[in-house]
Structures are given as C-alpha cells and as structure tokens.
Amino acid sequence: MPRFFYTAKKTPSEIVEGYIEAASESECLSKLANEGYFPISIRQEERPDNILSVYSAHEQELALFTRQLSALVGSGIDILSALKAISKQPGSSRLRRVVNDLQGKIRSGRSFSESLASYPEYFSAIYTALIRAGEASGKIGDVLKSLADFMEKEQDFRVKVRTALIYPFFVIAVAAAALFILLGYAVPRIVSVFKGLEHALPLPTQALISVSSFIRSYSIMIVIVAVVFIWLILYLVGSTKKGALIWDTLILKTLFIGELTVKSDTARLTRTLSLLLSSGVPITSSLDIAYSVIKNSVLKEELIKIKHNIRNGMSFSSCLRDCKFFPPLAVNIISTGEESGRLEEALGRIARDYDADVERMLAVFTRMLEPSIILVIGVVVGAVVISILMPVFQMNLFIK
C-alpha cells in the first residue's frame, strides 16, 4: 500500500509531520481528519527502483553526510558553509545534487528543516523532525551528532540481521535446487537399469521412480507454479493491507520468529522514541514519526491504538499494557521512566537490551539452523541412496 508524507496542524500553533499508509490521497486526507489533524501538505512516497540501493548505499551515504555535517557544525561552522564544504567532497552525484539544492533553498530564506522536508524520499520524517527540534532549541550540533549515532546503530542492527539470515536461506535454496536436479535428471538415469528386471522393485524404489518421473515430466510447470506462487504471496503481503495483516499475524504466532520480530521492532521503536524525546519532540508527535520504523503491520495497528489512547489522556505505559504483543518487561521499564521523569533514558536502555537479545537470538538461530539443514539434506540423500541400492541387494538375494 502506498505511503504518504504529510505535514499537518494539530493545534493552531503545533505542526506535526509523519508517514501514513493509504490507498489514495483522498483516503490519506480522511485518515488525517479522523486523527484530528488539519493537513497542510501531503506527498506520496516515491518507490525506488532498486530496493538494495535504498537500504544499503542510500543509507550509508546519508549516515556519512550526517556525520560530516555534525563534525563541521560542531566545530562552529554555520549550516550553509558546512553544506558547501560537503558538496565539494567526492561521493554520490545524487547526494551532491541534493546538497546543492539545499544550499539554494537556505539562501532563499528557508530554514534547514524546511529545506530537508522538500526531499521526503531522501530525508525521513524522523530526520526532519529532529533537525527542526534542534533549530528550536539552538542545539543543532548536538542533534546532528545524536542523529548520526542513531543512523549508524540502525545500520549495524540491520547488517547483523541480514548477515545472520542470508547464509542459511542461501544454503536452503542451493540444497533445494540440487535435490530438484538430482531427482529430475540424475536418478532417472541410475534407476533405468532396473526397468528390465522380472521381479517387482521395492516400494521405496518405486516411489523414488514415480517422484523422479513426475519432476522430469513437469519440471517447467513446477518452476512456473513455484514462481507464480511466490510472486502472489509477495504481492498480497506487500500490496494489500489484509494480506499484510494475515501474514504478519502468522509471523507473530510462529515459534521463535514471532519473538524475534517483536523484539527487533521494539528495539527500533524505543531507540527512535528515545532520540526524538531527548531532542524535545512531544510524545504524540514522536509516535506519529516513529510509526514508519515498525515493520510488522500488526504492531503498526497496535501503535495507532496507543496514539489514540494517549491523546485521550492515558499514559504511555498504560497504553502499552493493553497491547498484547509489547513485552511486559519493557512496559515496566517505561512505567518506571515515566514516574522518574527520565522516559527517554528508559527507552534507550530498552533499545540496547533488545538489540543484544536480537543479536543473541540470531546467533542461536544460525547455530541451530545450519546443522539442521545438513541433517535434513543427509536424510534425503540417504533415503535416495538406499532406494537405489535396495534393488541391488534384492538381486543378490535372488542370485543366491
């Protein structure tokens, strides 16, 4: 479902920004009205052609840009001069064009945050809101440093998750392809020598020949059906709200995977909220902005309920207690943070703890998955070998 970046008035003096999912602009406006917002502008998020470029090169470029800007501003250089210095650095031509455009907008009288908001496909609502808060407080240098640290931690977190999951799934894909080739093309040649035997073949060998003949006869159809099935699942999950909710509900109910999903999304949410609150962004605006960091659609729906309840006067921790997926330990820590007036510190502690938990769970998962894959492959190959050798043993018995 498309996402829209919006700027809206919550009160006559308070402007909020964020992302919202909607099928069309009219539905987006309707949702904002239901939230009690008066829309100023909405823009559909641009979908990049290359997903990998967004989640790797794009984020690395932006993190480096933020770190360089933080260092320059922290040394006493004004924003415009800092941007001019960065634009002369070697790097992506796309980023250089954006930086040059930002300089032009600032020279025309716009603030830095207003200029960044012109590029929602490049600078997220979180980024823009933090810069606006830094401008308001006069601590833009500190905010940029915190933002650079935040982006680097997010990158490290994603890299660890991907690194832990890519290898096992690559092994599974290679093993499945090897088994498909073995049964479809290698086995028929081996078992063809048994077709002229007068006595009946053992049942496992007959089953192997039947499976092998089916794969050989319908190999193209099997591949087409598999590709269409995978595409259909991806389409339903990625393009329809109902499909995404059904899939994400199954994910949350899956042993181990569900706990891993909750903890990883909790880490992202609390880390983002900690940064926003410590920069002076109000809790309701922070939740609006942090909505986009949640990956699971079921948890996103829970977050929407939490936002409504907070606007109705409930505390953050009380709202979380009504959420059946949010970890009770995290709720207790947040409650303590609210009572002590140090909520952002409590959220940061939760993020660090859950990052460590996710990293530990991924390490355990990969250590268990690799021998399990080898065991399954060994059992399948062993069954194939035994099925092929059984007629040979049977022939020896008849000869004797």
Side-chain angles (χ1 to χ4, degrees):
M1 182 176 291
R3 290 202 315 165
F4 292 86
F5 177 80
Y6 67 85
T7 302
K9 281 192 174 184
K10 182 181 176 184
T11 64
S13 59
E14 183 180 357
I15 295 178
V16 295
E17 292 179 338
Y19 286 96
I20 191 168
E21 292 182 347
S24 62
E25 287 190 5
S26 58
E27 183 179 333
C28 176
L29 292 171
S30 177
K31 286 187 174 183
L32 289 173
N34 292 336
E35 293 275 344
Y37 293 159
F38 181 79
I40 297 173
S41 66
I42 60 172
R43 180 189 297 181
Q44 184 172 346
E45 182 183 32
E46 293 184 8
R47 296 283 184 177
D49 296 328
N50 188 339
I51 294 176
L52 291 177
S53 69
V54 173
Y55 290 103
S56 55
H58 175 80
E59 290 187 350
Q60 290 172 5
E61 291 169 4
L62 194 55
L64 179 59
F65 164 78
T66 308
R67 179 62 70 188
Q68 291 174 338
L69 190 61
S70 168
L72 291 169
V73 172
S75 64
I77 299 175
D78 63 89
I79 287 288
L80 191 58
S81 300
L83 290 173
K84 185 177 181 180
I86 292 173
S87 66
K88 295 179 181 178
Q89 297 293 322
S92 166
S93 58
R94 179 179 55 181
L95 178 61
R96 192 178 297 112
R97 285 196 301 270
V98 171
V99 172
N100 288 332
D101 287 345
L102 290 174
Q103 294 179 64
K105 291 181 185 299
I106 293 173
R107 288 193 188 98
S108 67
R110 290 192 183 186
S111 67
F112 185 36
S113 59
E114 289 174 337
S115 303
L116 293 175
S118 302
Y119 301 94
E121 72 282 358
Y122 212 96
F123 300 99
S124 67
I126 297 172
Y127 201 107
T128 306
L130 287 169
I131 296 299
R132 181 180 292 108
E135 289 174 331
S137 63
K139 298 180 179 179
I140 185 100
D142 294 337
V143 169
L144 283 167
K145 183 178 182 304
S146 298
L147 186 54
D149 293 339
F150 169 80
M151 295 179 71
E152 289 169 359
K153 287 177 183 176
E154 280 287 292
Q155 276 188 324
D156 290 341
F157 182 74
R158 275 191 288 269
V159 167
K160 288 175 182 177
V161 172
R162 288 174 192 157
T163 303
L165 295 179
I166 284 175
Y167 174 71
F169 285 108
F170 174 76
V171 172
I172 292 173
V174 171
L179 185 61
F180 186 83
I181 295 171
L182 175 67
L183 292 175
Y185 298 95
V187 170
R189 297 182 180 184
I190 297 173
V191 299
S192 61
V193 299
F194 303 133
K195 289 185 178 179
L197 296 178
E198 297 179 355
H199 54 273
L201 293 173
L203 186 60
T205 307
Q206 294 180 32
L208 179 64
I209 293 173
S210 298
V211 172
S212 178
S213 299
F214 178 81
I215 291 176
R216 188 175 180 82
S217 302
Y218 300 100
S219 57
I220 297 177
M221 185 62 68
I222 291 171
V223 172
I224 292 174
V225 170
V227 170
V228 170
F229 178 76
I230 293 172
W231 176 85
L232 184 62
I233 293 296
L234 292 175
Y235 171 77
L236 292 174
V237 172
S239 302
T240 65
K241 185 176 181 179
K242 187 175 181 181
L245 285 172
I246 292 173
W247 175 261
D248 287 338
T249 300
L250 291 174
I251 290 292
L252 291 176
K253 291 182 178 180
T254 302
L255 185 64
F256 185 85
I257 301 297
E259 182 182 359
L260 184 64
T261 300
V262 169
K263 286 189 173 183
S264 61
D265 270 351
T266 299
R268 288 191 189 97
L269 176 64
T270 51
R271 180 166 48 248
T272 304
L273 289 177
S274 175
L275 178 59
L276 290 165
L277 292 173
S278 62
S279 300
V281 181
I283 181 65
T284 51
S285 300
S286 296
L287 288 170
D288 282 332
I289 296 166
Y291 176 84
S292 61
V293 306
I294 301 294
K295 305 302 180 184
N296 188 281
S297 57
V298 177
L299 298 178
K300 282 187 173 184
E301 292 296 317
E302 293 289 345
L303 189 61
I304 291 173
K305 295 177 185 176
I306 290 171
K307 290 192 294 183
H308 280 298
N309 290 335
I310 288 177
R311 290 191 180 100
N312 290 331
M314 292 179 64
S315 67
F316 187 31
S317 58
S318 300
C319 297
L320 291 174
R321 285 195 177 92
D322 295 334
C323 174
K324 59 183 178 180
F325 293 109
F326 210 86
L329 177 61
V331 175
N332 291 332
I333 295 174
I334 288 171
S335 178
T336 303
E338 282 182 323
E339 292 172 1
S340 63
R342 303 167 71 178
L343 179 58
E344 60 274 12
E345 293 182 16
L347 290 166
R349 184 163 59 253
I350 293 170
R352 290 190 295 273
D353 291 345
Y354 276 70
D355 277 343
D357 278 352
V358 169
E359 188 174 350
R360 176 185 56 79
M361 291 177 69
L362 286 172
V364 172
F365 176 70
T366 51
R367 282 200 298 266
M368 292 177 63
L369 189 61
E370 289 177 21
S372 300
I373 294 171
I374 294 172
L375 178 62
V376 170
I377 294 173
V379 169
V380 172
V381 172
V384 171
V385 172
I386 291 172
S387 298
I388 293 172
L389 293 178
M390 284 183 73
V392 178
F393 296 147
Q394 194 176 55
M395 288 171 61
N396 289 335
L397 291 174
F398 276 109
I399 291 173
K400 292 180 179 179

